[in-house]
C-alpha cells in the first residue's frame, strides 16, 4: 500500500570499505553445522566517524543480543559498490543492509542468494510487519527476501513563508488552485514588503521519476496515479493517463508566468533552502522535515522572532475538492541474510533471534535514541538530549547504528522533543496532517513487481520520461512533442515492461 518503485539500475563493482571490523570467517564455505557466536553485519555509514567497537552503545547492543557484534561500516557513497564486491567474495557477513530494491538485489535474491523469509518472519513477533501492505510493496514479486527498514509512510508537505502570507493577507492553501494563486501573489506582489524581486514555487533539478519529487506531488494532486494505474484488473503507466498531461500543463503555465524559479532545470538541490531563507521564493513542495530545517535557519538568524517565518500544509486537494495524497514507499531498504554465510535453518534462527531483539522496544531505543541517562533523558515520551562529552560520543554512534534498525513492527523509540514553542507547534501541525493525509493516500499497485525487461533497461526508459517532462515544462516541447516521447517510451521497450508487469500482477492477484 505504501510502496512504490522508482525506476532503478544496478550497482557497479569496486569500492573501498571503512573497515571497523572485518566480515571474515563465514563466507561462501560456511559450515552449516557451526554455531554462530558473533554476529557479523555490513552497513552503510552516513557520518564521518564510525562507531567505536568498544564504545558504550555497541556494548549495550551486544548485551541485548547476547553475543559479540562485528560491524563493517562502509561509507554510504560507495556502499552499493561494496555490496557487489562482498557478495562475490568468500567473506560474506551474516547480515547485509540493502539500501533499496535495486535490480542487482532483486536478481540475486530470486537466484537464491538471500534467504526467503516469506513464511518465517511470523515466528518472530518483533520482525512481523505492522503493515502487511508495506510488506507486500517491499517484496520482490510477492516474496520477502529481507526485513524492511520502516520509514514514515506520509511525508509530503508545502513549506510556506508565513510572514509573506500574512503581509499579503492570504490564507494557507487547501487546493492546487490556491497554491497557484499564492505563487502568483508571491511573484507579482511585494510579499517581503521591500520591493525586492520574488517568485513563488522553488524547484531544483530533479532526477528520476516516481521518487516523491515536486513533479510527482503535483501530478498526484491532479489525479495522476502513483507510478502504475490499475483499472479493470490491468496495470498501465501513470504517465500515459490524461491527468499526467493536465498536471504538467498547469505547471508549465506557472513556469511561463515566472511563478517558478527560472533555473528549475539546473538548480543544485543542495541549495534548495537558500532562496526560501534569503527571500527569493516562498514555496517548497517536498517533505515536512524541510519545513523544520527552514525554521531552524531563521532561528539561527534571529532567535527572538523566527516563529512567524515558516508554516506548512500537507497534500493539496484538486480544485474540485478531491484529495489524492502521495505516500512514500513506507520503507528504505532491508536487512538481508545471505545463504552462503548462513546456510542452515539453525543458523538462520540465531540471526533472526538477534534481529528480533534489536527490533524490540529496548532494541529500538538503543539504536534510535541511545542510552537513557547517558546521552538522553525522557520527558513524557520524548527524548531530550544531554549535553556532555560522553553524551556526544554515544549520540554519534546512534546516527550509525540506526542504519541496522528495521522497526517493521512499528516505531517504538522516543521521538525527539522540539527545542522551542515554535518548533513544537510546527511539529504538531505536520504530524496531524500526515496522519489525516494517509486516509487519502494513492498507493502504487505495481510496487511489489519487477519486470525482467525493466531490470535490463529501466534506467534508459525512465530517462525518456524525465527528459520529456522537463522539456515540456521548459517550453522546448509542445503537447504533440510530449506525446511523441511517451509513444517512444512504449516502442523502445516500455510496452514489453507493461506486458511483463501485468503478467506478474495477475499471478500475484490469483
Amino acid at each position: 500500500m505504501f510502496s512504490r518503485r522508482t525506476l532503478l539500475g544496478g550497482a557497479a563493482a569496486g569500492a573501498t570499505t571503512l573497515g571497523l571490523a572485518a566480515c571474515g570467517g563465514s563466507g561462501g564455505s560456511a559450515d552449516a553445522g557451526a554455531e554462530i557466536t558473533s554476529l557479523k553485519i555490513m552497513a552503510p555509514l552516513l557520518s564521518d566517524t564510525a562507531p567505536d567497537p568498544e564504545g558504550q552503545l555497541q556494548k549495550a547492543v551486544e548485551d541485548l543480543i547476547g553475543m559479540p557484534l562485528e560491524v563493517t561500516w562502509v561509507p554510504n557513497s560507495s556502499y552499493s559498490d561494496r555490496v557487489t564486491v562482498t557478495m562475490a567474495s568468500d567473506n560474506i557477513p551474516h547480515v547485509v543492509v540493502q539500501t533499496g530494491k535495486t535490480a542487482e538485489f532483486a536478481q540475486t535474491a530470486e537466484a537464491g542468494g538471500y534467504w526467503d523469509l516469506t513464511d518465517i518472519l511470523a515466528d518472530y513477533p518483533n520482525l512481523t510487519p505492522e503493515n502487511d501492505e508495506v510488506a507486500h510493496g517491499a517484496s520482490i514479486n510477492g516474496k520477502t527476501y529481507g526485513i524492511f527498514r520502516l520509514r514514515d509512510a506520509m511525508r509530503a508537505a508545502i513549506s510556506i513563508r508565513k510572514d509573506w502570507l500574512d503581509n499579503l493577507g492570504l490564507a494557507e492553501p487547501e487546493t492546487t488552485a490556491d497554491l497557484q494563486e499564492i505563487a502568483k501573489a508571491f511573484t507579482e506582489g511585494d510579499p517581503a514588503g521591500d520591493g525586492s524581486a520574488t517568485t513563488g514555487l522553488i524547484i531544483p533539478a530533479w532526477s528520476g521519476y516516481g521518487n516523491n519529487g515536486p513533479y510527482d506531488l503535483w501530478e498526484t494532486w491532479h489525479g495522476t496515479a502513483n507510478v502504475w494505474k490499475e483499472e479493470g484488473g490491468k496495470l498501465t503507466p501513470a504517465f500515459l493517463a490524461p491527468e499526467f498531461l493536465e498536471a504538467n500543463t498547469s505547471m508549465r503555465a506557472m513556469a511561463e508566468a515566472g511563478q517558478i524559479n527560472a533555473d528549475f532545470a539546473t538548480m543544485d538541490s543542495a541549495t534548495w533552502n537558500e532562496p526560501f531563507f534569503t527571500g527569493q521564493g516562498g514555496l517548497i513542495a517536498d517533505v515536512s522535515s524541510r519545513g523544520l530545517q527552514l525554521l531552524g535557519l531563521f532561528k539561527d538568524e534571529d532567535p527572538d522572532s523566527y516563529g512567524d517565518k515558516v508554516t506548512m500544509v500537507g497534500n493539496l486537494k484538486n480544485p474540485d475538492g478531491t484529495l489524492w495524497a502521495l505516500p512514500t514507499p513506507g520503507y528504505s531498504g532491508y536487512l538481508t541474510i545471505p545463504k552462503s554465510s548462513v546456510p542452515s535453518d539453525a543458523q538462520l534462527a540465531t540471526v533472526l533471534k538477534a534481529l528480533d531483539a534489536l527490533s524490540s522496544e529496548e532494541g529500538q531505543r538503543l539504536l534510535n535514541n541511545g542510552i537513557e541517562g547517558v546521552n538522553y533523558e525522557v520527558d513524557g515520551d520524548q527524548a531530550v538530549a544531554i549535553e556532555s562529552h560522553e553524551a556526544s560520543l554515544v549520540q554519534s554512534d546512534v546516527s550509525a547504528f540506526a542504519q541496522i534498525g528495521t522497526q517493521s513492527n512499528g516505531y517504538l523509540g522516543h521521538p525527539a522533543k522540539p527545542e522551542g514553542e515554535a518548533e513544537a507547534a510546527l511539529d504538531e501541525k505536520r504530524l496531524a496532517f500526515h496522519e489525516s493525509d494517509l486516509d487519502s493516500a494513492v498507493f502504487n499497485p505495481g510496487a511489489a513487481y519487477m519486470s525482467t525487461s525493466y531490470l535490463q533497461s529501466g534506467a534508459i526508459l525512465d530517462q525518456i520520461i524525465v527528459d520529456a517532462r522537463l522539456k515540456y515544462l521548459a517550453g522546448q516541447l509542445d503537447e504533440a512533442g510530449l506525446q511523441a516521447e511517451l509513444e517512444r517510451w512504449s516502442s523502445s521497450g516500455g510496452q514489453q515492461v507493461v506486458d511483463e508487469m501485468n503478467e506478474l500482477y495477475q499471478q500475484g492477484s490469483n
Side-chain angles (χ1 to χ4, degrees), residues 5-308:
R5 281 198 306 112
T6 56
L7 308 180
L8 23 92
T16 304
T17 181
L18 180 69
L20 182 64
C23 290
S26 59
S29 58
D31 182 356
E35 182 181 357
I36 292 177
T37 57
S38 179
L39 185 65
K40 299 174 175 65
I41 300 177
M42 185 168 74
L45 182 69
L46 277 63
S47 57
D48 294 332
T49 305
D52 180 359
E54 299 299 322
Q56 289 189 64
L57 185 59
Q58 178 151 335
K59 291 306 179 184
V61 171
E62 291 175 343
D63 287 342
L64 176 67
I65 65 174
M67 70 175 76
L69 182 66
E70 300 178 40
V71 186
T72 298
W73 298 104
V74 181
N76 191 55
S77 60
S78 59
Y79 187 73
S80 62
D81 293 344
R82 181 63 181 183
V83 171
T84 301
V85 172
T86 298
M87 289 301 294
S89 74
D90 291 326
N91 215 18
I92 302 176
H94 304 122
V95 177
V96 176
V97 174
Q98 304 286 338
T99 56
K101 191 193 291 188
T102 65
E104 181 180 42
F105 167 52
Q107 290 168 332
T108 302
E110 291 197 309
Y114 298 100
W115 275 94
D116 180 352
L117 305 174
T118 307
D119 300 320
I120 297 174
L121 293 185
D123 295 332
Y124 299 86
N126 297 319
L127 301 180
T128 302
E130 179 186 49
N131 190 294
D132 291 338
E133 294 179 17
V134 174
H136 179 66
S139 74
I140 297 174
N141 299 328
K143 295 290 187 179
T144 299
Y145 293 103
I147 305 156
F148 68 80
R149 303 189 299 171
L150 182 73
R151 296 296 183 266
D152 291 337
M154 186 61 66
R155 301 178 66 200
I158 301 286
S159 297
I160 310 169
R161 283 292 298 254
K162 183 179 184 300
D163 53 337
W164 288 14
L165 284 180
D166 294 341
N167 290 343
L168 298 177
L170 297 172
E172 294 179 354
E174 295 183 3
T175 70
T176 54
D178 293 341
L179 187 73
Q180 288 173 291
E181 287 301 314
I182 292 172
K184 180 179 180 181
F186 281 4
T187 303
E188 299 178 0
D190 184 15
D194 59 6
S196 58
T198 54
T199 191
L201 188 61
I202 306 164
I203 301 177
W206 197 270
S207 60
Y209 169 74
N211 54 5
N212 287 76
Y215 304 125
D216 302 320
L217 287 168
W218 192 251
E219 289 159 7
T220 300
W221 297 339
H222 282 79
T224 306
N226 185 345
V227 183
W228 290 94
K229 180 178 182 179
E230 191 279 331
E231 193 169 34
K234 293 185 177 181
L235 297 178
T236 57
F239 52 77
L240 296 182
E243 293 86 358
F244 176 83
L245 177 61
E246 293 168 9
N248 283 288
T249 296
S250 65
M251 181 168 279
R252 174 173 168 151
M254 293 173 67
E256 291 174 341
Q259 297 163 12
I260 299 174
N261 53 300
D263 61 344
F264 67 89
T266 58
M267 175 185 163
D268 184 355
S269 60
T271 66
W272 203 349
N273 291 342
E274 293 179 14
F276 189 102
F277 175 61
T278 59
Q280 299 170 58
L283 299 162
I284 291 179
D286 189 34
V287 295
S288 60
S289 58
R290 186 167 299 278
L292 297 174
Q293 291 175 15
L294 292 164
L295 188 65
L297 293 176
F298 286 107
K299 183 177 184 177
D300 292 341
E301 180 185 57
D302 185 357
D304 296 324
S305 61
Y306 69 98
D308 65 348

Side-chain angles (χ1 to χ4, degrees), residues 21 323 327 442-443 508:
L323 177 60
V442 178
F443 306 113

Side-chain angles (χ1 to χ4, degrees), residues 20 45 49-69 71 73 358 362-372 374-376 390-405:
L20 182 64
L45 182 69
T49 305
D52 180 359
E54 299 299 322
Q56 289 189 64
L57 185 59
Q58 178 151 335
K59 291 306 179 184
V61 171
E62 291 175 343
D63 287 342
L64 176 67
I65 65 174
M67 70 175 76
L69 182 66
V71 186
W73 298 104
L358 289 178
E362 182 182 357
Q364 287 197 31
R365 290 177 179 178
L366 278 176
L367 298 181
N368 294 287
N369 299 121
I371 303 174
E372 185 175 355
V374 177
N375 69 303
Y376 78 96
E390 182 183 29
S392 66
L393 293 177
V394 174
Q395 189 58 46
S396 175
D397 289 355
V398 167
S399 65
F401 271 92
Q403 295 300 311
I404 65 172

Side-chain angles (χ1 to χ4, degrees), residues 439-494:
D439 293 335
S440 302
V442 178
F443 306 113
N444 175 10
Y449 307 108
M450 303 193 77
S451 148
T452 300
S453 293
Y454 185 78
L455 290 174
Q456 296 171 350
S457 57
I460 297 172
L461 290 171
D462 275 4
Q463 200 59 45
I464 294 175
I465 303 304
V466 171
D467 291 345
R469 177 169 61 185
L470 194 61
K471 289 178 181 179
Y472 180 70
L473 294 173
Q476 298 173 11
L477 287 178
D478 59 13
E479 182 177 334
L482 176 61
Q483 295 290 1
E485 287 300 289
L486 299 182
E487 292 171 6
R488 184 166 73 88
W489 179 90
S490 296
S491 62
S492 299

